[in-house]
Amino acid sequence: MRTIKLTVCYDGSNYFGFQRQAKEITVQQILEEKLARVCGEPVTVTGSGRTDAGVHARCQVVSFTTGGTIPTANLPRALNSILPEDIRALRAEEARPGFNARKDASRKEYEYRIRYTPEPDPFSRNYAWQMKERLDVEKMNEAAAKLMGTHDFSGFQSTGSTQVSPVKTIYRSCWETEADGTLVYHIAGNGFVYHMVRNLVWSMVQIGLGKKTPQAMAEELKQKRGEFENSPAPAQGLYLAKVEYEPFIYENEK
């Protein structure tokens, strides 16, 4: 059996998240159905992360085993010929036996996008949080900087988190403004509790609106409330941007 590391991207607007559901269409379901056709046998994939309904991925990594003989160089092209247009296979690699896209991930990076739209914009509604109010990005960045390092994020997890530990290390946390005025939050860490990024964004938006001070972020980190007390930021603004792994030897490099 071969172990394959497959990198895909997708527009999550039409899916009930990544993970397979009993009665809803998900990205995992579509990938497994199409991989079964390409590999000539049933395939079960493991994703690096379980994006929620409406969340997008620029770089989602999945792993699976197969006895199929299709060369990895041909796998993305074969998949893309039968995948829906809102899911694309980017690259495929032979991985070491036992490689697991979720358990072996050492760093994940997300981005969250906010657009200032005095009137609702039908073209960006599925790809950003649209806001009528201007935000103080300087104060939001001051708050974002307080997330750097290792912290207990139990106060920023939503009910249903399956993480063993809420203690996570954050390597990057900052807001940037793009040329068209879109605000983009970048956060990278060794792991994330359920809804953590969206809950952090919601809190920083309150700071950007002047409802809280940047120091409130540090105080909320210390509270360890057990779960987030407010609704998370809307799903459509969130993107899984990058997944990294510790170096290891691929089978085709031996």
Side-chain angles (χ1 to χ4, degrees):
M1 296 289 283
R2 305 155 65 203
T3 301
I4 306 297
K5 175 189 176 189
L6 176 68
T7 303
V8 302
C9 62
Y10 50 84
D11 176 342
S13 302
N14 295 322
Y15 300 98
F16 202 76
F18 175 82
Q19 188 176 13
R20 180 180 281 274
Q21 304 287 334
K23 298 181 180 180
E24 305 289 349
I25 298 177
T26 67
V27 175
Q28 181 180 8
Q29 173 191 336
I30 299 298
L31 282 176
E32 290 177 348
E33 289 176 354
K34 305 309 181 186
L35 280 168
R37 289 176 56 183
V38 171
C39 296
E41 62 180 2
V43 170
T44 300
V45 304
T46 297
S48 64
R50 301 174 180 178
T51 55
D52 293 328
V55 175
H56 314 291
R58 302 189 191 280
C59 173
Q60 168 73 283
V61 177
V62 304
S63 57
F64 63 94
T65 58
T66 179
T69 59
I70 182 172
T72 52
N74 298 343
L75 186 56
R77 183 170 64 253
L79 270 178
N80 287 334
S81 69
I82 56 176
L83 278 169
E85 293 183 347
D86 51 8
I87 303 176
R88 295 287 90 181
L90 301 176
R91 56 188 173 275
E93 306 162 86
E94 297 270 355
R96 60 170 173 78
F99 170 74
N100 184 292
R102 179 177 61 84
K103 294 180 179 179
D104 290 337
S106 58
R107 173 183 169 124
K108 296 179 186 176
E109 183 165 348
Y110 288 88
E111 64 180 50
Y112 193 95
R113 307 178 71 82
I114 297 176
R115 291 203 66 188
Y116 171 64
T117 52
E119 296 297 331
D121 174 15
F123 301 106
S124 65
R125 63 186 177 86
N126 288 331
Y127 307 105
W129 183 2
Q130 297 184 355
M131 300 202 68
K132 295 182 179 180
E133 302 89 349
R134 293 284 189 181
L135 299 172
D136 188 328
V137 184
E138 184 176 345
K139 289 184 178 179
M140 291 166 68
N141 257 324
E142 187 178 340
K146 299 182 185 302
L147 301 175
M148 295 290 290
T150 302
H151 306 280
D152 182 336
F153 286 95
S154 57
F156 289 95
Q157 66 184 354
S158 295
T159 302
S161 182
T162 58
Q163 289 286 321
V164 175
S165 171
V167 177
K168 307 297 177 185
T169 300
I170 302 303
Y171 308 116
R172 184 186 187 192
S173 177
C174 64
W175 289 89
E176 295 180 347
T177 304
E178 295 186 337
D180 66 353
T182 300
L183 299 181
V184 184
Y185 177 54
H186 300 276
I187 182 169
N190 65 351
F192 297 86
V193 295
Y194 186 45
H195 283 171
M196 175 174 155
V197 179
R198 291 166 59 192
N199 289 337
L200 289 171
V201 167
W202 189 94
S203 290
M204 284 185 279
V205 164
Q206 306 315 301
I207 292 169
L209 291 171
K211 297 179 180 180
K212 297 181 181 181
T213 66
Q215 183 58 30
M217 182 62 73
E219 294 170 356
E220 290 176 8
L221 276 173
K222 296 176 182 178
Q223 290 178 6
K224 302 180 180 62
R225 295 161 295 191
E227 63 181 62
F228 196 60
E229 298 173 345
N230 302 284
S231 298
Q236 69 269 18
L238 184 61
Y239 297 71
L240 175 57
K242 192 175 184 180
V243 184
E244 296 181 4
Y245 297 86
E246 295 295 338
F248 59 82
I249 299 175
Y250 291 107
E251 290 296 300
N252 59 1
E253 294 178 341
K254 290 183 178 180

